[in-house]
Amino acid sequence: MQHRNVNDVMTHEVVTARPDTPVKEVAALFHRNDITAIPVIDDQGRPLGLVSEADLIRKEAVLPDPEGRYPGRWLDGKDRARAEAETAGGLMTSPAVTARPGWSVPEAARAMDKHKVKRLPVVDEAGRLVGIVSRRDLLQVFLRHDAAIRDEINHDVLGQTLWLTPGFVEVTVHNGVVTLNGRLPRRSLIPIAERLCRAVDGVVAVHVTLDWAEDDTGPRVEHPRAYRAAS
């Protein structure tokens, strides 16, 4: 089974800033490149942090309005300093949460969910920036056609991994939802088949209505359905 990893879906040409890049230039980089965040890197190309539109909005939000009224939101010392920063280094969120090119798409998704971030700078073994991956990039797997998902399950999961004879299991896929119907030689293969199908890129859910010929998960008692089928 072949799975796309971070290297396959990330943006390789990354727009970056330096710690001394003025805030106004950061805003210009967003506008010129139609992006919403940029990594801030050091002299070795290692990400120090990330500046996003949210950071610029925070800076805008603490400014007084034309009538001279100040915002009611209270900021602690750290947030106040970031809001008043003049450069990317002062404005950025740090340290940067990073990913590696060889990570699987689920690994990157778990890192984003754990750290509540929308994108991850991608670094090599030396910690140098080699790309950036966003939520939108990771969602590309759900754009796979149903036919491609079905073919991979039939060939890679059922054929090459579980070594099942064609016809044992009927696979249908609709909007990424996989349904498995049929009979397996052993009951213990059912959770394995379900788990492998869930791991296929683009699968949204797996519904299993599988029978079995031999129950090898407990005491060796012949399954009544297998007996009726044999008779």
Side-chain angles (χ1 to χ4, degrees), residues 7 10-12 14 16 39-48 96 98-101 120-132:
N7 186 67
M10 72 182 187
T11 298
H12 292 262
V14 186
T16 62
V40 181
I41 60 173
D42 64 14
D43 292 338
Q44 286 73 46
R46 295 173 300 202
L48 301 171
T98 61
R100 299 293 292 274
L120 301 169
V122 184
V123 298
D124 61 15
E125 294 82 356
R128 295 184 296 262
L129 185 73
V130 295
I132 191 166

Side-chain angles (χ1 to χ4, degrees), residues 2-187:
Q2 299 295 319
H3 298 286
R4 284 188 285 183
N5 56 27
V6 167
N7 186 67
D8 297 324
V9 300
M10 72 182 187
T11 298
H12 292 262
E13 299 296 327
V14 186
V15 178
T16 62
R18 303 298 292 273
D20 59 352
T21 300
V23 167
K24 189 171 182 177
E25 176 60 21
V26 171
L29 289 171
F30 288 166
H31 178 72
R32 289 199 301 267
N33 296 281
D34 192 24
I35 55 179
T36 60
I38 52 177
V40 181
I41 60 173
D42 64 14
D43 292 338
Q44 286 73 46
R46 295 173 300 202
L48 301 171
L50 209 69
V51 176
S52 70
E53 285 183 332
D55 297 316
L56 291 180
I57 289 296
R58 183 187 300 108
K59 184 173 183 63
E60 186 75 14
V62 300
L63 296 175
D65 59 26
E67 287 75 29
R69 292 175 299 186
Y70 278 85
R73 181 187 174 193
W74 180 85
L75 297 177
D76 61 24
K78 182 179 179 180
D79 284 342
R80 170 64 63 179
R82 288 178 59 198
E84 295 176 350
E86 300 179 9
T87 64
L91 192 63
M92 68 183 182
T93 300
S94 64
V97 180
T98 61
R100 299 293 292 274
W103 280 13
S104 67
V105 169
E107 282 181 291
R110 285 193 290 269
M112 286 185 186
D113 182 63
K114 176 181 178 181
H115 295 282
K116 309 302 180 187
V117 295
K118 297 180 180 180
R119 58 196 63 81
L120 301 169
V122 184
V123 298
D124 61 15
E125 294 82 356
R128 295 184 296 262
L129 185 73
V130 295
I132 191 166
V133 64
S134 68
R135 289 177 176 176
R136 179 177 297 181
D137 297 326
L138 299 186
L139 293 177
Q140 288 182 26
V141 296
F142 293 115
L143 300 179
R144 293 190 75 192
H145 293 297
D146 289 343
I149 296 172
R150 184 186 65 245
D151 291 345
E152 181 175 342
I153 290 174
N154 277 320
H155 183 270
D156 292 0
V157 175
L158 302 180
Q160 297 296 314
T161 304
L162 297 180
W163 294 94
L164 296 178
T165 303
F168 267 72
V169 177
E170 177 189 10
V171 181
T172 58
V173 185
H174 180 65
N175 291 331
V177 177
V178 176
T179 301
L180 304 178
N181 292 290
R183 166 173 289 211
L184 296 181
R186 299 183 304 280
R187 186 177 185 180

